[in-house]
Amino acid sequence: MLKIFTTQLQGVFGRIAGNEDFSFEDGARLLAQAAVGDGRIYIHGVKEMKAVEFEATEGAEPLPKATRLSDLDSYHDLTDTDRALIVSRFSTDEEAIETAKALKELGIEIVGISTLMAGGTEGNGSDTETLDSIADVHIDMKLKKPLIPGDDGERFGFPSSMTALYVYFGLAFTIKEILDEQDEL
């Protein structure tokens, strides 16, 4: 089963890398604006996506100027130089949507990471607000169902936090490249 899981996970990573390259670049540029200026990058992970918060703030290679959004006393402490990274399993997650809406009302620019679901910019004509429709830049994790088919027809093995961390590292590497180029100027 590990071989099947690994093959399927590599396929998901390949689809993200192959289809989201412009979003990685746009998202990294947006977040780097805070890192090179007076702002901070506030990260909010919903449920298991707290893994991204902790990787960015307490991991072996923390993201420059990254802070957990939950560390703020009030969203009103944010400034227009701050940026936000919101991560959820699906683009329809209510907590992610409400957080994004609250930040947008304050003029904060947002990068979202989630799997696109019905509504938003997926193109099904729905008016439902989703993370991808609120965020300035969105990166699709492309993980809609578990990866391993079971003998009973049910699927299992839904590596949403692994996929989000893959996307996070793609953003972090691109931000590092941008900041290195800035230092060379």
Side-chain angles (χ1 to χ4, degrees):
M1 267 191 233
L2 185 57
K3 193 171 200 166
I4 293 169
F5 182 74
T6 301
T7 300
Q8 294 292 333
L9 190 57
Q10 287 172 333
V12 172
F13 290 169
R15 284 190 300 280
I16 293 167
N19 297 315
E20 298 296 314
D21 51 339
F22 291 119
S23 295
F24 275 110
E25 186 73 27
D26 291 345
R29 287 197 186 288
L30 186 83
L31 297 175
Q33 291 170 0
V36 299
D38 294 330
R40 304 219 32 99
I41 301 169
Y42 287 93
I43 303 174
H44 180 69
V46 178
K47 298 179 181 132
E48 76 273 25
M49 301 310 180
K50 297 262 186 248
V52 175
E53 285 185 17
F54 287 103
E55 187 65 47
T57 59
E58 299 177 34
E61 300 171 326
L63 192 63
K65 295 193 173 181
T67 304
R68 288 189 303 272
L69 186 63
S70 61
D71 290 345
L72 273 177
D73 292 329
S74 167
Y75 288 173
H76 293 286
D77 292 339
L78 295 166
T79 70
D80 61 355
T81 58
D82 294 323
R83 301 292 180 264
L85 175 62
I86 300 175
V87 189
S88 64
R89 186 181 311 155
F90 299 119
S91 61
T92 53
D93 182 273
E94 283 186 38
E95 181 181 333
I97 292 166
E98 292 306 313
T99 301
K101 286 166 63 174
L103 295 177
K104 267 304 189 191
E105 286 178 15
L106 296 171
I108 303 302
E109 294 184 72
I110 300 167
V111 175
I113 299 172
S114 64
T115 293
L116 286 176
M117 300 303 284
T121 58
E122 192 174 62
N124 69 354
S126 173
D127 290 340
T128 305
E129 281 189 298
T130 56
L131 180 58
D132 60 295
S133 68
I134 300 167
D136 297 281
V137 176
H138 183 268
I139 302 172
D140 182 6
M141 293 193 311
K142 304 188 181 304
L143 185 67
K144 291 189 178 192
K145 61 185 179 185
L147 300 179
I148 302 172
D151 293 336
D152 60 359
E154 294 291 316
R155 298 180 74 85
F156 59 97
F158 197 93
S160 54
S161 58
M162 288 174 72
T163 306
L165 284 166
Y166 175 80
V167 173
Y168 161 75
F169 278 108
L171 273 174
F173 299 152
T174 308
I175 290 169
K176 182 178 179 355
E177 288 176 346
I178 291 168
L179 296 178
D180 288 349
E181 287 173 12
Q182 186 73 22
D183 287 344
E184 292 173 8
L185 296 178

Short mmCIF file of all heavy atoms in Angstrom, two decimals, residues 126-184:
data_model
loop_
_atom_site.label_atom_id
_atom_site.label_comp_id
_atom_site.label_asym_id
_atom_site.label_seq_id
_atom_site.Cartn_x
_atom_site.Cartn_y
_atom_site.Cartn_z
N SER A 126 -21.61 29.15 -9.77
CA SER A 126 -22.16 29.36 -8.44
C SER A 126 -21.73 30.70 -7.88
O SER A 126 -20.64 31.19 -8.15
CB SER A 126 -21.69 28.23 -7.52
OG SER A 126 -22.07 28.47 -6.19
N ASP A 127 -22.60 31.30 -7.08
CA ASP A 127 -22.28 32.57 -6.43
C ASP A 127 -21.68 32.37 -5.04
O ASP A 127 -21.39 33.33 -4.35
CB ASP A 127 -23.54 33.44 -6.30
CG ASP A 127 -24.02 33.95 -7.65
OD1 ASP A 127 -23.20 33.98 -8.59
OD2 ASP A 127 -25.19 34.34 -7.75
N THR A 128 -21.53 31.13 -4.62
CA THR A 128 -21.02 30.84 -3.29
C THR A 128 -19.59 31.36 -3.14
O THR A 128 -18.75 31.11 -3.99
CB THR A 128 -21.03 29.31 -3.04
OG1 THR A 128 -22.33 28.83 -3.25
CG2 THR A 128 -20.57 28.99 -1.64
N GLU A 129 -19.36 32.10 -2.05
CA GLU A 129 -18.00 32.58 -1.80
C GLU A 129 -17.15 31.41 -1.33
O GLU A 129 -17.57 30.59 -0.51
CB GLU A 129 -18.00 33.67 -0.74
CG GLU A 129 -18.40 35.01 -1.28
CD GLU A 129 -18.18 36.10 -0.26
OE1 GLU A 129 -18.81 36.04 0.79
OE2 GLU A 129 -17.38 37.01 -0.55
N THR A 130 -15.94 31.35 -1.86
CA THR A 130 -14.98 30.34 -1.47
C THR A 130 -13.65 31.03 -1.25
O THR A 130 -13.47 32.19 -1.64
CB THR A 130 -14.86 29.26 -2.56
OG1 THR A 130 -14.51 29.90 -3.79
CG2 THR A 130 -16.15 28.48 -2.73
N LEU A 131 -12.73 30.33 -0.65
CA LEU A 131 -11.42 30.92 -0.37
C LEU A 131 -10.77 31.43 -1.65
O LEU A 131 -10.21 32.53 -1.67
CB LEU A 131 -10.51 29.91 0.33
CG LEU A 131 -9.11 30.40 0.69
CD1 LEU A 131 -9.17 31.63 1.60
CD2 LEU A 131 -8.30 29.29 1.34
N ASP A 132 -10.87 30.68 -2.72
CA ASP A 132 -10.23 31.09 -3.97
C ASP A 132 -10.87 32.33 -4.58
O ASP A 132 -10.23 33.07 -5.31
CB ASP A 132 -10.19 29.95 -4.99
CG ASP A 132 -11.57 29.45 -5.36
OD1 ASP A 132 -12.25 28.91 -4.47
OD2 ASP A 132 -11.97 29.61 -6.52
N SER A 133 -12.14 32.58 -4.28
CA SER A 133 -12.80 33.77 -4.83
C SER A 133 -12.50 35.01 -4.00
O SER A 133 -12.65 36.13 -4.49
CB SER A 133 -14.31 33.56 -4.94
OG SER A 133 -14.92 33.47 -3.66
N ILE A 134 -12.05 34.84 -2.78
CA ILE A 134 -11.74 35.97 -1.89
C ILE A 134 -10.26 36.32 -1.94
O ILE A 134 -9.88 37.49 -1.92
CB ILE A 134 -12.17 35.65 -0.44
CG1 ILE A 134 -13.68 35.38 -0.38
CG2 ILE A 134 -11.79 36.80 0.50
CD1 ILE A 134 -14.13 34.75 0.92
N ALA A 135 -9.41 35.30 -1.98
CA ALA A 135 -7.96 35.51 -1.95
C ALA A 135 -7.48 36.25 -3.20
O ALA A 135 -8.06 36.10 -4.28
CB ALA A 135 -7.24 34.17 -1.83
N ASP A 136 -6.43 37.01 -3.05
CA ASP A 136 -5.81 37.70 -4.19
C ASP A 136 -5.10 36.70 -5.09
O ASP A 136 -5.08 36.85 -6.31
CB ASP A 136 -4.82 38.75 -3.69
CG ASP A 136 -5.54 39.82 -2.88
OD1 ASP A 136 -6.15 40.71 -3.49
OD2 ASP A 136 -5.49 39.75 -1.63
N VAL A 137 -4.49 35.70 -4.47
CA VAL A 137 -3.83 34.61 -5.19
C VAL A 137 -4.23 33.32 -4.50
O VAL A 137 -4.27 33.25 -3.28
CB VAL A 137 -2.28 34.76 -5.16
CG1 VAL A 137 -1.61 33.58 -5.84
CG2 VAL A 137 -1.84 36.07 -5.77
N HIS A 138 -4.53 32.30 -5.30
CA HIS A 138 -4.92 31.01 -4.73
C HIS A 138 -4.12 29.90 -5.40
O HIS A 138 -3.92 29.92 -6.61
CB HIS A 138 -6.42 30.74 -4.94
CG HIS A 138 -6.86 29.47 -4.32
ND1 HIS A 138 -6.90 28.27 -5.01
CD2 HIS A 138 -7.25 29.19 -3.06
CE1 HIS A 138 -7.30 27.32 -4.19
NE2 HIS A 138 -7.53 27.85 -3.01
N ILE A 139 -3.68 28.94 -4.60
CA ILE A 139 -2.98 27.76 -5.12
C ILE A 139 -3.82 26.54 -4.80
O ILE A 139 -4.14 26.27 -3.64
CB ILE A 139 -1.56 27.64 -4.52
CG1 ILE A 139 -0.74 28.90 -4.83
CG2 ILE A 139 -0.86 26.39 -5.05
CD1 ILE A 139 0.58 28.99 -4.14
N ASP A 140 -4.18 25.82 -5.84
CA ASP A 140 -5.03 24.63 -5.73
C ASP A 140 -4.18 23.41 -5.36
O ASP A 140 -3.24 23.06 -6.08
CB ASP A 140 -5.73 24.41 -7.07
CG ASP A 140 -6.68 23.22 -7.07
OD1 ASP A 140 -6.91 22.61 -6.01
OD2 ASP A 140 -7.20 22.91 -8.16
N MET A 141 -4.54 22.75 -4.24
CA MET A 141 -3.83 21.55 -3.81
C MET A 141 -4.20 20.31 -4.62
O MET A 141 -3.52 19.29 -4.53
CB MET A 141 -4.09 21.27 -2.33
CG MET A 141 -3.51 22.30 -1.41
SD MET A 141 -3.49 21.79 0.33
CE MET A 141 -5.14 21.20 0.62
N LYS A 142 -5.29 20.35 -5.36
CA LYS A 142 -5.68 19.27 -6.27
C LYS A 142 -5.87 17.91 -5.58
O LYS A 142 -5.57 16.86 -6.14
CB LYS A 142 -4.68 19.15 -7.42
CG LYS A 142 -4.54 20.47 -8.17
CD LYS A 142 -3.72 20.36 -9.40
CE LYS A 142 -3.59 21.66 -10.11
NZ LYS A 142 -4.82 22.32 -10.50
N LEU A 143 -6.37 17.94 -4.36
CA LEU A 143 -6.56 16.71 -3.59
C LEU A 143 -8.02 16.61 -3.17
O LEU A 143 -8.40 17.06 -2.10
CB LEU A 143 -5.64 16.71 -2.36
CG LEU A 143 -5.62 15.45 -1.52
CD1 LEU A 143 -5.01 14.29 -2.31
CD2 LEU A 143 -4.86 15.68 -0.23
N LYS A 144 -8.85 16.05 -4.03
CA LYS A 144 -10.30 16.01 -3.78
C LYS A 144 -10.76 14.75 -3.07
O LYS A 144 -11.84 14.72 -2.51
CB LYS A 144 -11.06 16.18 -5.09
CG LYS A 144 -10.92 17.56 -5.66
CD LYS A 144 -11.84 17.78 -6.82
CE LYS A 144 -11.68 19.21 -7.30
NZ LYS A 144 -12.69 19.64 -8.22
N LYS A 145 -9.98 13.69 -3.15
CA LYS A 145 -10.41 12.43 -2.54
C LYS A 145 -9.20 11.67 -2.03
O LYS A 145 -8.06 11.93 -2.43
CB LYS A 145 -11.19 11.60 -3.54
CG LYS A 145 -10.39 11.21 -4.77
CD LYS A 145 -11.24 10.48 -5.78
CE LYS A 145 -10.38 10.13 -7.00
NZ LYS A 145 -11.15 9.53 -8.06
N PRO A 146 -9.42 10.71 -1.14
CA PRO A 146 -8.32 9.87 -0.66
C PRO A 146 -7.63 9.16 -1.82
O PRO A 146 -8.21 8.95 -2.88
CB PRO A 146 -9.00 8.88 0.28
CG PRO A 146 -10.25 9.57 0.71
CD PRO A 146 -10.69 10.37 -0.49
N LEU A 147 -6.37 8.78 -1.62
CA LEU A 147 -5.54 8.27 -2.70
C LEU A 147 -5.57 6.77 -2.92
O LEU A 147 -5.32 6.29 -4.02
CB LEU A 147 -4.08 8.71 -2.46
CG LEU A 147 -3.83 10.21 -2.40
CD1 LEU A 147 -2.36 10.48 -2.14
CD2 LEU A 147 -4.31 10.90 -3.66
N ILE A 148 -5.88 5.99 -1.89
CA ILE A 148 -5.76 4.53 -2.01
C ILE A 148 -7.14 3.88 -2.08
O ILE A 148 -7.97 4.07 -1.19
CB ILE A 148 -4.99 3.96 -0.79
CG1 ILE A 148 -3.61 4.60 -0.70
CG2 ILE A 148 -4.89 2.44 -0.89
CD1 ILE A 148 -2.86 4.26 0.57
N PRO A 149 -7.38 3.09 -3.14
CA PRO A 149 -8.66 2.37 -3.22
C PRO A 149 -8.63 1.13 -2.32
O PRO A 149 -7.67 0.36 -2.33
CB PRO A 149 -8.75 1.96 -4.69
CG PRO A 149 -7.34 1.95 -5.18
CD PRO A 149 -6.56 2.92 -4.33
N GLY A 150 -9.67 0.99 -1.51
CA GLY A 150 -9.76 -0.17 -0.63
C GLY A 150 -10.46 -1.34 -1.30
O GLY A 150 -11.09 -1.19 -2.35
N ASP A 151 -10.36 -2.50 -0.71
CA ASP A 151 -11.00 -3.71 -1.25
C ASP A 151 -12.52 -3.57 -1.29
O ASP A 151 -13.18 -4.18 -2.12
CB ASP A 151 -10.62 -4.93 -0.41
CG ASP A 151 -9.15 -5.29 -0.54
OD1 ASP A 151 -8.54 -4.90 -1.57
OD2 ASP A 151 -8.62 -5.93 0.38
N ASP A 152 -13.07 -2.76 -0.38
CA ASP A 152 -14.53 -2.58 -0.30
C ASP A 152 -15.04 -1.46 -1.21
O ASP A 152 -16.21 -1.12 -1.19
CB ASP A 152 -14.95 -2.30 1.14
CG ASP A 152 -14.30 -1.05 1.70
OD1 ASP A 152 -13.50 -0.38 0.99
OD2 ASP A 152 -14.60 -0.71 2.87
N GLY A 153 -14.13 -0.86 -2.00
CA GLY A 153 -14.53 0.21 -2.90
C GLY A 153 -14.37 1.60 -2.30
O GLY A 153 -14.40 2.59 -3.02
N GLU A 154 -14.24 1.65 -0.98
CA GLU A 154 -14.00 2.93 -0.32
C GLU A 154 -12.53 3.31 -0.46
O GLU A 154 -11.66 2.45 -0.51
CB GLU A 154 -14.35 2.84 1.17
CG GLU A 154 -15.82 2.61 1.45
CD GLU A 154 -16.68 3.81 1.09
OE1 GLU A 154 -16.28 4.94 1.42
OE2 GLU A 154 -17.74 3.60 0.48
N ARG A 155 -12.26 4.60 -0.53
CA ARG A 155 -10.88 5.08 -0.63
C ARG A 155 -10.42 5.57 0.73
O ARG A 155 -11.23 6.00 1.55
CB ARG A 155 -10.79 6.20 -1.67
CG ARG A 155 -11.17 5.73 -3.08
CD ARG A 155 -11.07 6.84 -4.09
NE ARG A 155 -9.70 7.17 -4.44
CZ ARG A 155 -8.97 6.57 -5.35
NH1 ARG A 155 -9.47 5.56 -6.02
NH2 ARG A 155 -7.73 6.95 -5.60
N PHE A 156 -9.12 5.54 0.98
CA PHE A 156 -8.54 6.05 2.22
C PHE A 156 -7.17 6.62 1.93
O PHE A 156 -6.63 6.47 0.85
CB PHE A 156 -8.50 4.96 3.31
CG PHE A 156 -7.69 3.75 2.93
CD1 PHE A 156 -6.37 3.63 3.35
CD2 PHE A 156 -8.23 2.73 2.15
CE1 PHE A 156 -5.61 2.53 3.01
CE2 PHE A 156 -7.49 1.62 1.81
CZ PHE A 156 -6.18 1.51 2.23
N GLY A 157 -6.61 7.32 2.91
CA GLY A 157 -5.30 7.96 2.73
C GLY A 157 -5.45 9.34 2.11
O GLY A 157 -5.25 9.52 0.92
N PHE A 158 -5.85 10.33 2.94
CA PHE A 158 -6.10 11.69 2.46
C PHE A 158 -5.02 12.61 3.05
O PHE A 158 -5.21 13.18 4.13
CB PHE A 158 -7.50 12.14 2.91
CG PHE A 158 -8.02 13.32 2.16
CD1 PHE A 158 -8.81 13.14 1.04
CD2 PHE A 158 -7.72 14.61 2.55
CE1 PHE A 158 -9.29 14.23 0.33
CE2 PHE A 158 -8.19 15.70 1.86
CZ PHE A 158 -8.99 15.52 0.74
N PRO A 159 -3.88 12.77 2.36
CA PRO A 159 -2.74 13.51 2.92
C PRO A 159 -2.83 15.03 2.72
O PRO A 159 -1.97 15.66 2.11
CB PRO A 159 -1.57 12.92 2.14
CG PRO A 159 -2.17 12.64 0.79
CD PRO A 159 -3.57 12.18 1.07
N SER A 160 -3.86 15.63 3.28
CA SER A 160 -4.07 17.07 3.05
C SER A 160 -2.96 17.92 3.64
O SER A 160 -2.50 18.87 3.01
CB SER A 160 -5.43 17.51 3.57
OG SER A 160 -5.59 17.15 4.92
N SER A 161 -2.49 17.59 4.84
CA SER A 161 -1.43 18.42 5.43
C SER A 161 -0.10 18.23 4.69
O SER A 161 0.65 19.19 4.51
CB SER A 161 -1.26 18.14 6.93
OG SER A 161 -0.97 16.78 7.16
N MET A 162 0.17 17.01 4.20
CA MET A 162 1.39 16.79 3.40
C MET A 162 1.34 17.61 2.12
O MET A 162 2.34 18.21 1.71
CB MET A 162 1.55 15.31 3.05
CG MET A 162 1.94 14.44 4.21
SD MET A 162 1.93 12.70 3.77
CE MET A 162 3.39 12.61 2.75
N THR A 163 0.19 17.64 1.51
CA THR A 163 0.02 18.39 0.26
C THR A 163 0.15 19.89 0.52
O THR A 163 0.81 20.60 -0.23
CB THR A 163 -1.34 18.05 -0.37
OG1 THR A 163 -1.43 16.62 -0.51
CG2 THR A 163 -1.49 18.69 -1.72
N ALA A 164 -0.45 20.36 1.60
CA ALA A 164 -0.34 21.78 1.96
C ALA A 164 1.11 22.15 2.26
O ALA A 164 1.57 23.24 1.87
CB ALA A 164 -1.23 22.10 3.15
N LEU A 165 1.83 21.28 2.93
CA LEU A 165 3.24 21.56 3.22
C LEU A 165 4.06 21.58 1.92
O LEU A 165 4.97 22.39 1.79
CB LEU A 165 3.81 20.54 4.21
CG LEU A 165 3.37 20.78 5.65
CD1 LEU A 165 3.68 19.56 6.52
CD2 LEU A 165 4.02 22.03 6.22
N TYR A 166 3.73 20.73 0.97
CA TYR A 166 4.40 20.77 -0.33
C TYR A 166 4.19 22.13 -0.98
O TYR A 166 5.13 22.76 -1.47
CB TYR A 166 3.87 19.65 -1.23
CG TYR A 166 4.44 19.70 -2.63
CD1 TYR A 166 5.70 19.20 -2.90
CD2 TYR A 166 3.70 20.24 -3.67
CE1 TYR A 166 6.23 19.26 -4.19
CE2 TYR A 166 4.21 20.29 -4.96
CZ TYR A 166 5.48 19.81 -5.20
OH TYR A 166 6.00 19.87 -6.47
N VAL A 167 2.95 22.61 -0.98
CA VAL A 167 2.65 23.92 -1.55
C VAL A 167 3.36 25.02 -0.76
O VAL A 167 3.96 25.93 -1.35
CB VAL A 167 1.13 24.17 -1.60
CG1 VAL A 167 0.82 25.60 -2.02
CG2 VAL A 167 0.45 23.19 -2.55
N TYR A 168 3.32 24.93 0.57
CA TYR A 168 4.00 25.92 1.40
C TYR A 168 5.50 26.00 1.04
O TYR A 168 6.04 27.08 0.86
CB TYR A 168 3.84 25.59 2.90
CG TYR A 168 4.88 26.30 3.71
CD1 TYR A 168 4.78 27.67 3.95
CD2 TYR A 168 6.01 25.63 4.18
CE1 TYR A 168 5.77 28.34 4.64
CE2 TYR A 168 7.00 26.29 4.87
CZ TYR A 168 6.88 27.65 5.11
OH TYR A 168 7.87 28.32 5.78
N PHE A 169 6.15 24.84 0.93
CA PHE A 169 7.58 24.86 0.61
C PHE A 169 7.82 25.45 -0.78
O PHE A 169 8.80 26.17 -1.00
CB PHE A 169 8.20 23.47 0.75
CG PHE A 169 8.57 23.14 2.17
CD1 PHE A 169 7.84 22.21 2.89
CD2 PHE A 169 9.63 23.78 2.79
CE1 PHE A 169 8.16 21.93 4.21
CE2 PHE A 169 9.96 23.50 4.11
CZ PHE A 169 9.22 22.57 4.82
N GLY A 170 6.93 25.17 -1.74
CA GLY A 170 7.05 25.80 -3.05
C GLY A 170 6.99 27.31 -2.95
O GLY A 170 7.78 28.03 -3.58
N LEU A 171 6.09 27.82 -2.13
CA LEU A 171 6.00 29.27 -1.89
C LEU A 171 7.26 29.78 -1.18
O LEU A 171 7.82 30.80 -1.57
CB LEU A 171 4.79 29.60 -1.02
CG LEU A 171 3.46 29.82 -1.68
CD1 LEU A 171 2.37 29.99 -0.63
CD2 LEU A 171 3.50 31.03 -2.59
N ALA A 172 7.67 29.07 -0.15
CA ALA A 172 8.83 29.51 0.64
C ALA A 172 10.09 29.56 -0.21
O ALA A 172 10.88 30.52 -0.10
CB ALA A 172 9.03 28.58 1.84
N PHE A 173 10.31 28.56 -1.06
CA PHE A 173 11.49 28.57 -1.93
C PHE A 173 11.45 29.74 -2.91
O PHE A 173 12.47 30.38 -3.17
CB PHE A 173 11.61 27.25 -2.71
CG PHE A 173 11.75 26.02 -1.85
CD1 PHE A 173 11.30 24.80 -2.32
CD2 PHE A 173 12.31 26.07 -0.58
CE1 PHE A 173 11.41 23.65 -1.54
CE2 PHE A 173 12.43 24.93 0.20
CZ PHE A 173 11.98 23.71 -0.29
N THR A 174 10.26 30.01 -3.42
CA THR A 174 10.12 31.13 -4.37
C THR A 174 10.32 32.46 -3.66
O THR A 174 10.95 33.38 -4.20
CB THR A 174 8.76 31.06 -5.08
OG1 THR A 174 8.59 29.74 -5.63
CG2 THR A 174 8.68 32.07 -6.21
N ILE A 175 9.80 32.58 -2.44
CA ILE A 175 10.03 33.80 -1.65
C ILE A 175 11.53 33.97 -1.40
O ILE A 175 12.06 35.08 -1.52
CB ILE A 175 9.25 33.75 -0.31
CG1 ILE A 175 7.75 33.88 -0.58
CG2 ILE A 175 9.73 34.85 0.64
CD1 ILE A 175 6.88 33.58 0.64
N LYS A 176 12.21 32.89 -1.06
CA LYS A 176 13.66 32.96 -0.82
C LYS A 176 14.38 33.47 -2.07
O LYS A 176 15.26 34.32 -1.97
CB LYS A 176 14.21 31.60 -0.39
CG LYS A 176 15.70 31.62 -0.09
CD LYS A 176 16.19 30.28 0.36
CE LYS A 176 17.66 30.20 0.66
NZ LYS A 176 18.51 31.31 0.41
N GLU A 177 14.02 32.96 -3.23
CA GLU A 177 14.63 33.42 -4.48
C GLU A 177 14.40 34.93 -4.68
O GLU A 177 15.32 35.66 -5.06
CB GLU A 177 14.06 32.67 -5.69
CG GLU A 177 14.51 31.24 -5.81
CD GLU A 177 13.83 30.52 -6.97
OE1 GLU A 177 12.82 31.02 -7.52
OE2 GLU A 177 14.32 29.43 -7.33
N ILE A 178 13.18 35.37 -4.41
CA ILE A 178 12.85 36.80 -4.57
C ILE A 178 13.67 37.64 -3.59
O ILE A 178 14.24 38.68 -3.97
CB ILE A 178 11.35 37.03 -4.36
CG1 ILE A 178 10.56 36.40 -5.51
CG2 ILE A 178 11.02 38.52 -4.23
CD1 ILE A 178 9.05 36.32 -5.27
N LEU A 179 13.76 37.21 -2.35
CA LEU A 179 14.51 37.97 -1.34
C LEU A 179 16.01 37.96 -1.65
O LEU A 179 16.69 38.98 -1.45
CB LEU A 179 14.26 37.42 0.06
CG LEU A 179 12.81 37.55 0.56
CD1 LEU A 179 12.67 36.92 1.94
CD2 LEU A 179 12.34 38.99 0.55
N ASP A 180 16.53 36.85 -2.17
CA ASP A 180 17.95 36.78 -2.56
C ASP A 180 18.23 37.74 -3.70
O ASP A 180 19.25 38.42 -3.72
CB ASP A 180 18.34 35.36 -2.94
CG ASP A 180 18.42 34.42 -1.74
OD1 ASP A 180 18.39 34.90 -0.59
OD2 ASP A 180 18.52 33.18 -1.97
N GLU A 181 17.31 37.80 -4.68
CA GLU A 181 17.47 38.75 -5.80
C GLU A 181 17.44 40.19 -5.29
O GLU A 181 18.20 41.03 -5.74
CB GLU A 181 16.36 38.56 -6.83
CG GLU A 181 16.48 37.31 -7.67
CD GLU A 181 15.25 37.09 -8.55
OE1 GLU A 181 14.41 38.01 -8.68
OE2 GLU A 181 15.14 35.98 -9.09
N GLN A 182 16.55 40.46 -4.33
CA GLN A 182 16.44 41.80 -3.74
C GLN A 182 17.74 42.21 -3.06
O GLN A 182 18.18 43.34 -3.15
CB GLN A 182 15.27 41.82 -2.75
CG GLN A 182 14.95 43.17 -2.18
CD GLN A 182 14.28 44.07 -3.18
OE1 GLN A 182 13.68 43.63 -4.15
NE2 GLN A 182 14.38 45.37 -2.96
N ASP A 183 18.36 41.26 -2.35
CA ASP A 183 19.63 41.52 -1.65
C ASP A 183 20.75 41.82 -2.63
O ASP A 183 21.69 42.54 -2.30
CB ASP A 183 20.03 40.34 -0.76
CG ASP A 183 19.15 40.26 0.49
OD1 ASP A 183 18.46 41.25 0.82
OD2 ASP A 183 19.14 39.18 1.12
N GLU A 184 20.68 41.22 -3.83
CA GLU A 184 21.73 41.44 -4.84
C GLU A 184 21.65 42.81 -5.48
O GLU A 184 22.60 43.28 -6.07
CB GLU A 184 21.65 40.35 -5.91
CG GLU A 184 22.03 38.98 -5.40
CD GLU A 184 21.78 37.88 -6.42
OE1 GLU A 184 21.45 38.20 -7.58
OE2 GLU A 184 21.93 36.70 -6.05
#
